[in-house]
């Protein structure tokens, strides 16, 4: 993803604000980057942080100098990233940053930077540690924190940071940008729910592991829509357990699958209200299901509820089995 172009074209206020601060030497010691799920928070945080260290900023990180390449290769000791999207960030991880940054910087630039992605996913003790660190930052220590929900971030953290808010790009624009990069329209529509940038969608499909999880989820999603359309409930349940649940075998594919279902059920509600669906590639089957299924709103609530369990230590197969049974029973009870 070309983050510089994304910022300049899609987030011009953040772009101009940071460029001006960098050029005038008036950088804040802590930034909180806020954005809805799907916005490239971590990518933006890394890029802005990298711009502080870049050998040849133009005006932000060039991505070609030795420093930029070393950071991209995770080979720059004064640049640390904690990723809360993978797991809860614990006190000892924050402590390792504090311990390392209490010492003199390894690199000759003398600047040290840390990123905490999704600060809302920090444990209580970790939050207390980072608060103390933010209160008394070193003169050349810079923090970049990110969040999907400002309401879940302590006011004491927000008050110590300069807030940068990423605005959502229109979803149809994201789809068009992805299609212009030769992403199939079906994939662009589905993935625009997850990623609020066309180039980021392209990058996901270019990553084998991400693409495999997505393809498994997409195949399960298609089969499940077909199963929902079957008149015989028992046959639909058997088909789902035999063909669909085995495809959704990782947490990543389960997240994709559940969010695709959210998209589909939201579109069915839109169709019932006379609105056009976002998933135009699935318009025919969604139109059919919207007239056949009852309790679409209750099913959507169940999907959203089970989506919250994915990050917990639950058995993915059992969770999917429960969800499939719930939706098929609810949806088919009132078939017309």
């Amino acid at each position: 993803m070309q983050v510089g172009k994304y910022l300049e074209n899609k987030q011009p206020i953040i772009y101009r604000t940071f460029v001006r601060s960098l050029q005038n030497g008036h950088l804040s010691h802590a930034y909180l980057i806020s954005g809805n799920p799907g916005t490239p928070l971590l990518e933006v945080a890394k890029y802005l942080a990298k711009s502080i260290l870049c050998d040849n900023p133009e005006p932000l990180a060039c991505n070609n100098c030795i420093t930029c390449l070393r950071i991209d290769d995770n080979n720059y000791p004064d640049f640390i990233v904690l990723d809360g999207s993978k797991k809860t960030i614990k006190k000892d991880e924050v402590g390792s940053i504090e311990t390392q940054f209490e010492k003199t910087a390894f690199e000759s630039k003398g600047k040290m930077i840390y990123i905490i992605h999704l600060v809302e996913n920090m444990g209580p003790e970790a939050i207390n540690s980072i608060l103390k660190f933010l209160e008394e930052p070193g003169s050349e220590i810079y923090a970049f924190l990110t969040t999907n929900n400002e309401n879940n971030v302590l006011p004491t953290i927000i008050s110590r940071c300069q807030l940068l808010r990423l605005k959502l790009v229109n979803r149809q624009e994201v789809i068009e940008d992805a299609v212009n990069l030769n992403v199939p329209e079906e994939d662009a529509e589905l993935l625009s729910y997850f990623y609020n940038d066309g180039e980021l969608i392209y990058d996901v499909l270019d990553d084998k592991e991400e693409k495999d999880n997505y393809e498994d989820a997409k195949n399960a999603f298609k089969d499940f829509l077909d199963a929902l359309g079957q008149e015989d409930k028992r046959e639909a349940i058997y088909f789902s357990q035999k063909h669909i649940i085995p495809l959704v075998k990782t947490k990543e594919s389960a997240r994709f699958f559940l969010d695709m279902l959210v998209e589909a059920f939201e579109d069915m509600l839109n169709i019932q209200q006379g609105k056009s669906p976002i998933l135009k590639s699935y318009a025919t089957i969604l139109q059919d299901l919207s007239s056949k299924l009852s309790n679409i709103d209750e099913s959507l609530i169940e999907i959203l509820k089970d989506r919250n369990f994915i990050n917990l230590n639950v058995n993915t197969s059992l969770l999917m089995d429960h969800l499939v049974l719930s939706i098929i029973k609810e949806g088919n009870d009132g078939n017309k």
Side-chain angles (χ1 to χ4, degrees):
M1 178 182 179
Q2 294 180 301
V3 185
K5 287 186 177 180
Y6 164 80
L7 288 173
E8 188 173 9
N9 297 327
K10 310 292 187 182
Q11 309 290 344
I13 294 176
I14 291 178
Y15 179 84
R16 291 196 298 266
T17 298
F18 199 83
V19 166
R20 187 163 53 246
S21 296
L22 186 64
Q23 292 177 338
N24 294 338
H26 293 152
L27 290 168
S28 172
H29 282 288
Y31 292 91
L32 177 62
I33 305 172
S34 171
N36 289 68
T39 52
L41 289 172
L42 183 56
E43 290 81 2
V44 168
K46 285 182 176 179
Y47 184 74
L48 294 181
K50 190 163 54 174
S51 299
I52 296 175
L53 298 169
C54 177
D55 299 331
N56 306 300
E58 43 184 45
L60 298 182
C62 70
N63 287 323
N64 295 314
C65 68
I66 294 298
T67 299
C68 284
L69 294 175
R70 287 180 61 199
I71 291 172
D72 290 342
D73 197 38
N74 297 317
N75 187 28
Y76 197 91
D78 296 328
F79 193 101
I80 298 175
V81 178
L82 299 183
D83 190 351
S85 69
K86 306 294 184 184
K87 60 179 182 177
T88 301
I89 298 171
K90 297 181 179 178
K91 179 183 178 181
D92 59 345
E93 294 177 284
V94 176
S96 66
I97 294 177
E98 295 173 351
T99 300
Q100 181 166 332
F101 283 11
E102 282 174 356
K103 304 171 185 175
T104 304
F106 283 94
E107 302 293 332
S108 60
K109 291 180 184 290
K111 298 175 182 178
M112 297 182 283
I113 299 175
Y114 64 95
I115 295 172
I116 299 181
H117 180 44
L118 301 183
V119 291
E120 59 266 40
N121 293 341
M122 298 177 73
E125 293 181 336
I127 290 174
N128 290 332
S129 294
I130 202 62
L131 266 175
K132 293 176 183 177
F133 202 42
L134 287 171
E135 284 175 0
E136 300 175 0
S139 60
E140 291 289 1
I141 295 177
Y142 300 91
F144 288 83
L145 316 180
T146 74
T147 180
N148 280 147
N149 190 342
E150 288 177 41
N151 294 325
N152 289 338
V153 181
L154 287 177
T156 45
I157 288 181
I158 295 176
S159 66
R160 288 165 173 76
C161 300
Q162 181 175 342
L163 187 57
L164 302 175
R165 290 190 177 99
L166 296 180
K167 66 175 184 177
L168 274 175
V169 178
N170 179 274
R171 191 168 171 187
Q172 194 56 48
E173 184 180 340
V174 172
I175 293 170
E176 290 172 2
D177 287 347
V179 170
N180 288 336
L181 291 170
N182 295 320
V183 172
E185 189 166 359
E186 175 190 0
D187 295 324
E189 291 172 355
L190 285 171
L191 286 168
S192 67
Y193 185 87
F194 306 90
Y195 305 103
N196 191 232
D197 180 72
E199 192 174 345
L200 197 54
I201 290 174
Y202 175 87
D203 290 343
V204 167
L205 293 176
D206 199 42
D207 181 287
K208 185 181 185 309
E209 184 177 353
E210 286 273 18
K211 185 177 181 181
D212 287 347
N213 284 319
Y214 165 71
E215 290 290 346
D216 285 343
K218 184 174 73 169
N219 290 332
F221 171 69
K222 288 180 175 179
D223 287 344
F224 189 55
L225 292 183
D226 289 336
L228 281 176
Q230 296 180 24
E231 298 292 337
D232 189 326
K233 186 191 306 182
R234 290 171 300 179
E235 184 177 338
I237 291 173
Y238 172 78
F239 181 82
S240 299
Q241 292 174 328
K242 183 78 172 176
H243 298 283
I244 298 172
I245 294 171
L247 284 171
V248 190
K249 51 187 178 291
T250 67
K251 285 189 175 182
E252 289 71 23
S253 59
R255 288 190 189 97
F256 274 127
F257 176 67
L258 289 175
D259 283 340
M260 288 176 192
L261 289 183
V262 171
E263 290 186 88
F265 276 78
E266 286 181 345
D267 265 354
M268 281 188 261
L269 290 175
N270 286 333
I271 290 170
Q272 288 183 341
Q273 296 169 12
K275 300 176 183 177
S276 298
I278 295 290
L279 300 178
K280 293 181 173 60
S281 301
Y282 295 86
T284 301
I285 189 169
L286 293 178
Q287 183 78 47
D288 181 56
L289 289 175
S290 69
S291 64
K292 283 183 177 180
L293 301 182
S294 64
N295 305 321
I296 291 175
D297 49 353
E298 285 88 348
S299 294
L300 178 56
I301 291 171
E302 184 66 33
I303 297 166
L304 291 169
K305 184 174 70 176
D306 285 1
R307 176 65 173 81
N308 291 331
F309 288 125
I310 291 293
N311 289 330
L312 304 177
N313 190 23
V314 297
N315 185 296
T316 302
S317 295
L318 290 178
L319 182 65
M320 291 299 102
D321 192 37
H322 161 76
L323 178 66
V324 165
L325 286 171
S326 298
I327 294 177
I328 289 178
K329 286 180 178 178
E330 280 189 5
N332 284 274
D333 280 343
N335 270 359
K336 300 173 183 176

